[in-house]
Amino acid sequence: MTPAGTVVTVASDLRQQTSRGFAVAFTPDKAQVGRMRRITAAHLRLWHVSEPTVENVVLAVSELVTNAIRYGRGDAGLKILYADDDVRVEVSDGNPEPALTNAQPDDTSGRGLFLVAVLARDWGVSDDGEMTWCIFNAPARRS
């Protein structure tokens, strides 16, 4: 992905296929966290993902994008895939050393990945350490 000064979104909603997704490349700026949350929520609602799942996925996106901006090296990327009643979130940040911290009770940060682990069905880090992913069960809501 080659980021530009502004967010570039590539989205597909192929009605003949069972999978949907989008990818966004972005520069590491705190303002991008809110943008990635809004883009993700809009796509999930378009795909008729249930509202409680939308909220959980958006929270995970917020945590992972924040980590990418805070600890990443250079440009970052967000990819969301929706297929077979699962939503997969991938955030890449160019940093081969994931930052898993051990927050103390009085700390005001450092719990993002633990929150993702609680909300998601599964999560992990790519073999090269530059991408964090998580998967949510996401059956489409009934019309």
Side-chain angles (χ1 to χ4, degrees):
M1 288 188 233
T2 304
T6 58
V7 176
V8 178
T9 304
V10 178
S12 64
D13 181 6
L14 305 174
R15 301 199 187 279
Q16 300 301 319
Q17 296 184 3
T18 60
S19 64
R20 297 178 171 115
F22 70 90
V24 182
F26 57 93
T27 55
D29 179 315
K30 290 180 184 179
Q32 301 291 18
V33 177
R35 291 181 183 127
M36 297 307 111
R37 289 169 53 107
R38 288 188 297 277
I39 290 168
T40 300
H43 278 86
L44 294 176
R45 289 182 180 119
L46 176 68
W47 301 332
H48 305 290
V49 173
S50 68
E51 195 59 33
T53 304
V54 170
E55 292 172 8
N56 288 340
V57 172
V58 168
L59 182 54
V61 164
S62 182
E63 295 297 335
L64 296 178
V65 169
T66 297
N67 284 353
I69 291 168
R70 182 175 290 160
Y71 304 111
R73 295 183 183 165
D75 298 321
L78 167 68
K79 184 177 359 177
I80 306 287
L81 302 170
Y82 178 43
D84 301 324
D85 291 338
D86 283 336
V87 172
R88 181 180 173 94
V89 176
E90 297 179 0
V91 176
S92 57
D93 64 12
N95 185 351
E97 300 169 11
L100 184 58
T101 60
N102 188 10
Q104 300 301 309
D106 293 337
D107 291 344
T108 58
S109 65
R111 296 174 185 84
L113 288 178
F114 293 108
L115 183 58
V116 170
V118 168
L119 295 173
R121 184 182 82 224
D122 197 8
W123 79 279
V125 177
S126 63
D127 290 341
D128 66 3
E130 295 184 7
M131 186 263 296
T132 305
W133 57 268
C134 56
I135 298 174
F136 293 82
N137 292 328
R141 66 178 182 251
R142 305 278 186 240
S143 299

